[in-house]
Amino acid sequence: AQSVTQLDSHVSVSEGTPVLLRCNYSSSYSPSLFWYVQHPNKGLQLLLKYTSAATLVKGINGFEAEFKKSETSFHLTKPSAHMSDAAEYFCVVSDEGGYQKVTFGTGTKLQVIP
Amino acid sequence: DTAVSQTPKYLVTQMGNDKSIKCEQNLGHDTMYWYKQDSKKFLKIMFSYNNKELIINETVPNRFSPKSPDKAHLNLHINSLELGDSAVYFCASSQDLKLATDFFSYNEQFFGPGTRLTVL
């Protein structure tokens, strides 16, 4: 069984300050982990994905995430927020690769204040 | 050149009606999905098809029936629409395991823009 918990439903940051969106997962096997972004009235876009090659994963638009097995976490960070980062962010886990079944977190809405 | 497309983008209808949402992908993927996103933005998988065969069928009312005429299309038909069906429905596709370059390519899903269904 797998599950994912996004610890904050809303995060508000000022433009130019760091972003931290938290995600914890539960998995019976070695998980695949992803972050997706959804801009208002748009579909979902993959930001980054975890592979076993490196625990620090770099994605698009300056985002990165670190896989910490001991903490079962996969937090998303960005050094400096931009207004265009305002969106909904979803952490996703999959450990049932045979059927490609993924579980979405409940989402974190990122607000960027000018 | 849209990778995953859905029609219509918006759908407003009365309770009790029957409606369909269409999805097409031009990525050559073998697996397609339907997700429902509720008003709180929670995304839940409904169905998954691999090469026109149903492989995931979550607890979804019988009123929802997916149909896959070929591996590039996965349509969703809903009978006797209810108020609670109002949501945004997303179609997605992913690479088949046999063709994926690595396990994680296998899991990456590409999403359509969504169909906002409103039942009055």
Side-chain angles (χ1 to χ4, degrees):
Chain A
Q2 61 192 25
S3 67
V4 60
T5 302
Q6 291 184 242
L7 298 157
D8 307 294
S9 58
H10 287 84
V11 169
S12 184
V13 301
S14 297
E15 190 176 16
T17 63
V19 175
L20 170 64
L21 305 182
R22 298 183 293 167
C23 172
N24 286 94
Y25 70 90
S26 171
S27 172
S28 303
Y29 307 98
S30 297
S32 306
L33 291 159
F34 310 82
W35 276 98
Y36 281 85
V37 60
Q38 183 181 24
H39 287 94
N41 299 314
K42 301 283 186 184
L44 287 91
Q45 180 185 19
L46 182 70
L47 269 181
L48 50 80
K49 58 185 179 184
Y50 165 67
T51 71
S52 58
T55 55
L56 184 62
V57 181
K58 294 189 185 299
I60 60 172
N61 301 335
F63 284 93
E64 60 184 37
E66 187 171 7
F67 174 71
K68 291 186 177 180
K69 188 175 181 178
S70 60
E71 298 175 12
T72 60
S73 69
F74 191 58
H75 301 333
L76 182 70
T77 60
K78 183 174 180 178
S80 176
H82 191 272
M83 294 300 295
S84 61
D85 295 328
E88 191 91 23
Y89 291 80
F90 293 93
C91 183
V92 180
V93 64
S94 172
D95 65 3
E96 298 177 63
Y99 293 98
Q100 301 195 76
K101 182 177 176 180
V102 299
T103 300
F104 279 76
T106 49
T108 298
K109 186 170 184 176
L110 176 64
Q111 180 185 18
V112 182
I113 303 167
Chain B
D1 59 346
T2 304
V4 182
S5 59
Q6 296 179 227
T7 53
K9 191 168 182 178
Y10 299 95
L11 184 53
V12 181
T13 188
Q14 300 285 334
M15 265 195 331
N17 284 350
D18 302 338
K19 291 293 178 185
S20 292
I21 307 172
K22 295 185 177 182
C23 178
E24 177 181 2
Q25 54 94 4
N26 62 8
L27 296 167
H29 290 165
D30 287 343
T31 306
M32 296 183 72
Y33 313 78
W34 276 109
Y35 288 87
K36 180 181 180 180
Q37 185 177 44
D38 63 24
S39 58
K40 295 182 180 177
K41 300 288 186 181
F42 183 63
L43 266 155
K44 187 170 168 52
I45 191 166
M46 301 172 69
F47 302 104
S48 174
Y49 269 73
N50 179 268
N51 269 315
K52 303 191 296 177
E53 183 181 340
L54 181 66
I55 56 172
I56 294 175
N57 184 355
E58 291 300 290
T59 308
V60 177
N62 292 339
R63 301 181 293 103
F64 289 79
S65 53
K67 284 189 172 49
S68 182
D70 55 63
K71 72 175 191 179
H73 295 83
L74 181 62
N75 304 323
L76 183 65
H77 188 75
I78 315 170
N79 290 327
S80 303
L81 278 155
E82 300 178 357
L83 293 175
D85 298 333
S86 296
V88 181
Y89 292 84
F90 286 99
C91 177
S93 72
S94 65
Q95 184 71 293
D96 184 80
L97 176 61
K98 297 187 293 298
L99 299 176
T101 55
D102 57 69
F103 177 79
F104 301 95
S105 296
Y106 170 70
N107 284 111
E108 180 179 345
Q109 297 183 18
F110 294 78
F111 284 80
T115 296
R116 184 176 293 276
L117 171 65
T118 303
V119 182
L120 304 174

